[in-house]
Amino acid sequence: MTNNYSIDCTLLIDDDKVINFYNEKIVNRHNDFGQVTSVNSGQNALDYLKDAKNGLISKPDLIFLDINMPAMNGWEFLEEFNKIDPNFTSSIKVILLTTSNNPDDFERSKTIKIISDFINKPLTADILDHVKQNHYILASSKKT
């Protein structure tokens, strides 16, 4: 694989520390994914994005978002994400990464423009290949 379509920064948002640890390892092992950061809540993710918008830390190219989290679930995070300056967020791909088998969650995800995909946990190298191929390489080739 070529690094022409590398994903420089990935943000994992999941309240489960074990899942975050595992997913970080999977992303770190993939040649086409660079820095990975995990946070354990939607609010911590919003704080991360605020710091990234202010140039203090790396802006994520990709967010893997859990739906079912306490305090602020994935849907509530997306509502707040939509309030951030679109000039900053428009290039960030958001993929739901969940254990939810609720068909309503899948149907709801299709109605939200900023959601690029709906994937079941846990991450694997094959899933990361799929993400790269379908959301970066093919998306790029459609623009030309």
Side-chain angles (χ1 to χ4, degrees), residues 81-99:
F81 182 86
N82 271 331
K83 296 175 185 176
I84 300 171
D85 180 0
N87 291 323
F88 175 76
T89 60
S90 64
S91 64
I92 301 172
K93 297 197 182 299
V94 178
I95 294 178
L96 294 181
L97 184 65
T98 183
T99 56

Side-chain angles (χ1 to χ4, degrees), residues 122-142:
L123 284 177
T124 63
D126 287 342
I127 288 173
L128 293 177
D129 288 341
H130 164 84
V131 166
K132 180 183 174 201
Q133 179 66 33
N134 290 306
H135 300 291
Y136 290 90
I137 294 175
L138 290 178
S140 177
S141 66
K142 289 178 184 175

Side-chain angles (χ1 to χ4, degrees), residues 5-132:
Y5 298 98
S6 66
I7 294 93
D8 295 327
C9 183
T10 302
L11 179 62
L12 303 170
I13 308 170
D14 198 311
D15 62 306
D16 187 325
K17 291 179 184 178
V18 174
I19 292 291
N20 271 338
F21 178 80
Y22 174 82
N23 286 337
E24 273 190 55
K25 293 290 184 200
I26 295 298
V27 175
N28 279 324
R29 288 183 182 146
H30 198 286
N31 291 333
D32 296 319
F33 287 74
Q35 172 190 339
V36 59
T37 300
S38 62
V39 295
N40 61 3
S41 73
Q43 185 57 57
N44 287 347
L46 293 171
D47 293 343
Y48 180 96
L49 292 169
K50 179 182 176 186
D51 287 346
K53 187 173 183 296
N54 290 328
L56 302 174
I57 53 179
S58 297
K59 175 183 173 183
D61 301 301
L62 174 62
I63 294 174
F64 285 111
L65 174 64
D66 186 24
I67 295 173
N68 299 312
M69 297 183 289
M72 178 185 287
N73 66 34
W75 306 117
E76 293 164 331
F77 167 81
L78 289 168
E79 288 175 21
E80 296 303 313
F81 182 86
N82 271 331
K83 296 175 185 176
I84 300 171
D85 180 0
N87 291 323
F88 175 76
T89 60
S90 64
S91 64
I92 301 172
K93 297 197 182 299
V94 178
I95 294 178
L96 294 181
L97 184 65
T98 183
T99 56
S100 175
N101 57 5
N102 183 340
D104 293 339
D105 286 338
F106 179 71
E107 290 304 316
R108 184 176 181 184
S109 75
K110 293 192 304 188
T111 68
I112 300 173
K113 183 180 174 187
I114 59 172
I115 297 175
S116 297
D117 210 337
F118 187 100
I119 296 173
N120 287 314
K121 292 180 195 177
L123 284 177
T124 63
D126 287 342
I127 288 173
L128 293 177
D129 288 341
H130 164 84
V131 166
K132 180 183 174 201

